[in-house]
Amino acid sequence: MSVRTPDPDWTPGDEPGATPPANPGWLSDLELAQIRGRLPLLYVEAIPVRVDGLGQVTEVGVLLRANAVGEMTRTLVSGRVMYGETLRDALFRHLEKDLGPMAFPLLPASPVPAAVAEYFPMPGISPFHDERQHAVSLVYVVPVTGTCEPRQDALEVTWMTPAEAASEAVGAEMEGGRGALMRQALASVGALR
């Protein structure tokens, strides 16, 4: 049994008895549950913003959604990075998935995130908590220029001033410590004074 990383031009005949999954970048629910219990997963999160002509943040988009127990919460654009997917592609895919195809995000020229969050299943290790898994999230502040129509499980996008988005009241409506993450990311782009 070979443990080497397969070549990009790998074919099923290269190793007897080994067949790649139909979509190697996606996991079944069972596979995901097993992996979440053993490995940290990589996520991207995005804070959609509107900027003025000088590039200063004037508005921050925050998603409203119902969580698994039916409570209304605020959240960020977020999702996993698939196997073989670039950070840029993952970020664009999740922005389009959550904000709609007409959001027209302006992805950052550099893949360096505004913030990094490490979510733990046990509370208290870091300010960020996700009871399902240990995850590392790269957080980006992304200007959007188009119309945002939420899709998937988001009910609406609420546009706020940076001060409102970073407030304790909005932070209290966010799960997993994302209020602190919002403040950290907005401060990194000079949106908080």
Side-chain angles (χ1 to χ4, degrees), residues 118-134 176-177:
E118 190 171 14
Y119 293 89
F120 286 94
M122 300 78 62
I125 295 175
S126 83
F128 312 110
H129 175 253
D130 185 337
E131 63 200 22
R132 304 168 302 162
Q133 65 192 338
H134 178 191

Side-chain angles (χ1 to χ4, degrees), residues 34-48:
Q34 291 173 338
I35 289 171
R36 279 182 167 156
R38 295 181 176 182
L39 299 170
L41 293 177
L42 180 62
Y43 281 74
V44 290
E45 293 187 273
I47 300 171

Side-chain angles (χ1 to χ4, degrees), residues 63-139:
L63 298 175
L64 179 68
R65 71 172 181 93
N67 67 11
V69 294
E71 299 170 332
M72 300 303 283
T73 62
R74 302 243 178 231
T75 193
L76 310 175
V77 171
S78 67
R80 287 192 323 270
V81 177
M82 293 192 315
Y83 177 80
E85 183 177 43
T86 66
L87 292 174
R88 184 177 303 283
D89 289 343
L91 192 55
F92 187 82
R93 179 171 55 86
H94 290 295
L95 283 160
E96 185 175 79
K97 172 185 64 88
D98 287 348
L99 301 179
M102 302 304 288
F104 301 128
L106 301 173
L107 296 183
S110 169
V112 176
V116 175
E118 190 171 14
Y119 293 89
F120 286 94
M122 300 78 62
I125 295 175
S126 83
F128 312 110
H129 175 253
D130 185 337
E131 63 200 22
R132 304 168 302 162
Q133 65 192 338
H134 178 191
V136 175
S137 183
L138 307 177
V139 185

Side-chain angles (χ1 to χ4, degrees), residues 131-187:
E131 63 200 22
R132 304 168 302 162
Q133 65 192 338
H134 178 191
V136 175
S137 183
L138 307 177
V139 185
Y140 298 87
V141 177
V142 181
V144 294
T145 59
T147 304
C148 295
E149 295 293 331
R151 298 170 23 169
Q152 301 291 6
D153 63 347
L155 302 173
E156 73 175 25
V157 179
T158 305
W159 292 98
M160 308 175 181
T161 67
E164 290 169 334
S167 71
E168 291 296 325
V170 171
E173 295 177 4
M174 299 181 118
E175 294 179 313
R178 284 184 175 86
L181 188 58
M182 172 77 78
R183 288 186 291 279
Q184 184 181 356
L186 289 176

